[in-house]
Amino acid sequence: MATKSVPVTLSHVTKIFKDPTSKAEVHAVEDANFDVRSGELVTLLGPSGCGKTTTLRMIGGFELPTKGKILIGDTDVTYLPPNGRQTATVFQSYGLFPHMDVFDNVAYGLKIRKLSHTEIENRVRTVLELVGLAELAHRAPGRLSGGQQQRVALARSLVVEPQVLLLDEPLSNLDALLREQMRVEIRRIQKSLGITAIYVTHDRIEAMSLSDRVIVMRNGVIQQIGTPGDIYERPVSMFVAGFVGKVAFFPAQLEGIEAGGRAICTVGGKRVRAGSAAEGLGTGSPAVIMARPESLRLVEKEDAISSGTVTARVYLGSSVEIYVKTETGEILVQIDDPSGKAIPSEGEAVWIGLNEALVRVLPAE
Amino acid sequence: MFTKKKLIVFAIVCAIFAAGEYWIFSTIQASFEKNAAKEITALARAIAASAPENNESLASWTEQLPSTYHGYRFFAFKGVPGEEGSEPAGGDSALSELWKLPSNADIAAKAAESVSYLEVFRWPSRVTFAGVPYTLIIAPVPDAEGSSARAALLIAADASGYVAFGRLVQTLAVVTFVLFALGFGIATFSRDPISGYAILVLAAVVVAFVAYPLFEAVRLTLIKQGRFSFDVWKTILSNRQYLQALWGSIQLGIVTATISTFIGFMYAFAVARTSMKGKKLVTALATMPVISPPFSLTLSIILLFGKNGIITKQWLGLQNFNIYGLGGLALVQTISMFPIAFLTMQGVLQAIDSTLEDASLDLNASRWHTFSHVTLPLAAPGLLSSWLLVFTNSLADFANPLLLSGSYRVLSVESYIEVTGMSRLNNGAALSLLLLLPTLTAFLVQRRWVSRKSFVVVTGKPSTRLSDLAAPGARRALTGFVVVVSGLIVALYLTIVAGCFVKNWGIDYTFTLVNIHEALTRGKQALISTITLAGIATPIAGVLSMVAAVILVRKKFPGKRILESLIMTPFAIPGTLVGISFILAFNKPPLLLVGTGAILVINYVIRELPVGLEGGVAALRQIDPSIEEAAADLGADQATIFRTIILPLIRPAFISSMSYTFVRSMTAVSAIIFLISARWYHITIQIYNFSENLRFGLASVLATTLIIIVLAVFGLMRLLIRQSEFLEKTVTAQ
Ligand SMILES: Nc1ncnc2c1ncn2[C@@H]1O[C@H](COP(=O)(O)OP(=O)(O)O)[C@@H](O)[C@H]1O
Ligand SMILES: [Mg+2]
């Protein structure tokens, strides 16, 4: 299956819903601007209700933007109906046709396109092979497991060779193990077909492990767009930092930025050369230091920026997680290569320091 | 979507269409006018030529003319008017005054000139006397040699027909243009033109066949001789006979509703709250009266209790027993309508979590105490709502009172008599509108009060444990009661069947097959036309109601609420009102439908649309919208989605909607009794005619035939739906 992959562009896309009874306005999506390059898998990530599905539905043609423009390739598709654009959506609830068997479900789009019998047969067989369902072609969808239904939905979307594949929380109805398996599967298929894909999820692990780039949304507003590494290591805000991984924040004063990009600041009375700082952060403005568990260390009292008592220890083999209760809340410290190191036990008082090269300064919220 | 380019294209195309239309319609109108002018000129010439030879008798001749030529006015002049020696001879003085009007001077001069050249002259514009438009012509009366005019005849011809025609043509032109603009607008601007067209079609249907007829009915009651007036209503509300009918309807409604609710509750309680045996049979028997054709129960009551009734005359030997009236009506209505209360109450009782009652019993409350303090209060809103439901049904009932009311008056029959017996359509319309008042009140109470007050605890899962809430004694009494009522129902149906085979009920009970032969011979045409028309209406109503359901559930568009209410309206209003409003609306162009089969088909369709719609809506709500979205996503347009996805998924609703349409069309009475014609007769009216002529044997045969057809249709429906049951499961599974 050869798909001609194309980019997708959203410019100033806004969606405002009007509640028919109370006439209240819901700004589901506000001024969204991004583009997805051809063959790329981009994830829309954010908490429930932040407008991910709405964004995806506008790209699929199920909702009309209140403002803005959507391009697929060079074509303005903003007002085209779903059946007028080359997108294919995998719905959260799959939306399989219950009165058709697997084969007919997958063949539906091809029949609409009035392809010949043999071509339909061939293409359906090929795509069912691809998703590993060749044996179940004549099952009714009601008699398939969740994972199998998921594959049928994926196959049904892929078989029409769409320019863009849209997936709305496709794994949310599956159990944890299956989810991991399908995640790998989806990525493999997307890569092998080279198809442009937009993937909606609220699960950061899914987003980080699957995507070329991630778009983090909050209350309808895009917060940050970047590679998983970008948004994990260089988030622009406390929200993004907190949403994409475990993190501890320490109030800090920014003193200045060095030529190499390192940020000098004071935290807990200590002077720290943080690895990086968010853009546009002025000296003197309220700031925080964000530290991932792996950039925290247990230190002697005089090097510490914070202290507390250990509430729990979790051995993970290659590392140990120490949960420390501090004045500002619970902080997770990760100790790599634990063998030979002294690991504090529960109830013990500990002091926390920073691996300065790995921490980052963010504007306080 | 609205882009500048599309708007410009739209405007240009509409302008071109409008121009073309203007050209066509003005050509039609012009050629019509030309013909009309030619005709009237010829007529004027002919009349003038027949003038008496003697100018002295001109006046009396002119005065005689209107009696020969209706709708014309005449005035004669001696000589050529305006010239010397001319003087008015006589005729309609209104015309001579018009002639003398100063503003008319120019035209009068021209007219006089034409007359002097022996030419007929027609006024370029129409004139109006007393609100009626006239064409004005002056024709010369030639002298003996035919060389000059010795007199002139001024003629005014009633032109209201032409004016009406012109208005009709203009209306048609405007309607055509509006439809074109809407259709083209949808095609240009809509992302989903097929749904747009569907909305347009539905809107056109309900405007033309629901809103417009009702508007006509209301309008008719508010005008008198072309002017707005409350006279009709004053007559209605001050006439004892009409008020008696109103009160009669209400009285009957109250009696029927009260008894029916009582019996219905007993039934429901026995089925839902006791361990009585044979519940399925009891339920099946109770649904019979709901689906059985009209007149059948009345017929059977007459056969049992009428003047020649087997019980009243043969067994009891009563001479003066009279079943016709309130008592008989209440009896037959109760048997026909208690199942409504039963089914409603059964739903309510099943929805009440019986663990509440169990809890009460656990707390050592007695069964009676539990019943009166837990079950009854919980069921109270349901009781009120079934009472109101039966009450409205009783008021709208037309068939039973038509045969059985005797001298007792009810509104539905009264309005029928006004229309067909007295030809007072305005009074008939007003009476059937009056019927709407209690019905609407009940409906509003139902909506506002019952639904709010309802505190039924719906758990969603029917409680599996069923504690017997009746003490053994009470249960036996209850069972006995149910058995008696069920027995009565069976007896009534058996009576009808028996009626088919008896030579002369009440007099000669010998077995015969003659009735069957005669009834089927005489009823054949009615039966065929009923089946044909119901058969035509069925798929139309089926598809239309499913389309309406999809549109109303899945689409957003302005005016959705109004469209929905209009579609539902025929369900809430009495059939007599629908019938009367249809004759009012469709007895004139452009929708001259009275007397055709089409008016019956349309009537079936709009009356059954609401039921199908409700079924379709309920079925669609069970279906995950992303199934349809997935189909759209794969390239299907709305029509394809409807055909390949929606229709197969809501097949059970579709099938039952069609079955109900067919059955209810076959068994309709109240609206269609106004709309039938000799060519398109209806089987139920045939039953009524046979009964009216005391040919009960024949009536029984047709009623039995209808019952068999109804049962067969429902049997077929069951069969078809069962086949698709697997679907219902899988649709909801996901
Ligand atoms: N059809 C709709 N009508 C009104 N409000 C809606 C509709 N769809 C979504 N919303 C609102 O828009 C916001 C974003 O919803 P959604 O895009 O579904 O969020 P997400 O997928 O990120 O959980 C929510 O507040 C939701 O209530
Ligand atoms: Mg969502």
Side-chain angles (χ1 to χ4, degrees), chain A residues 97 104-115 120 156 159-160, chain B residues 630-631 633-636:
Chain A
F97 309 134
D104 287 337
N105 261 280
V106 177
Y108 187 83
L110 301 178
K111 285 183 186 158
I112 296 286
R113 285 165 178 71
K114 300 208 162 51
L115 299 188
I120 293 179
R156 189 179 63 176
V159 79
V160 296
Chain B
D633 202 40
L634 292 169

Side-chain angles (χ1 to χ4, degrees), chain A residues 52-53 92 168-169 200:
Chain A
K52 310 176 296 282
T53 298
Q92 191 165 7
D168 188 3
E169 313 223 9
V200 160

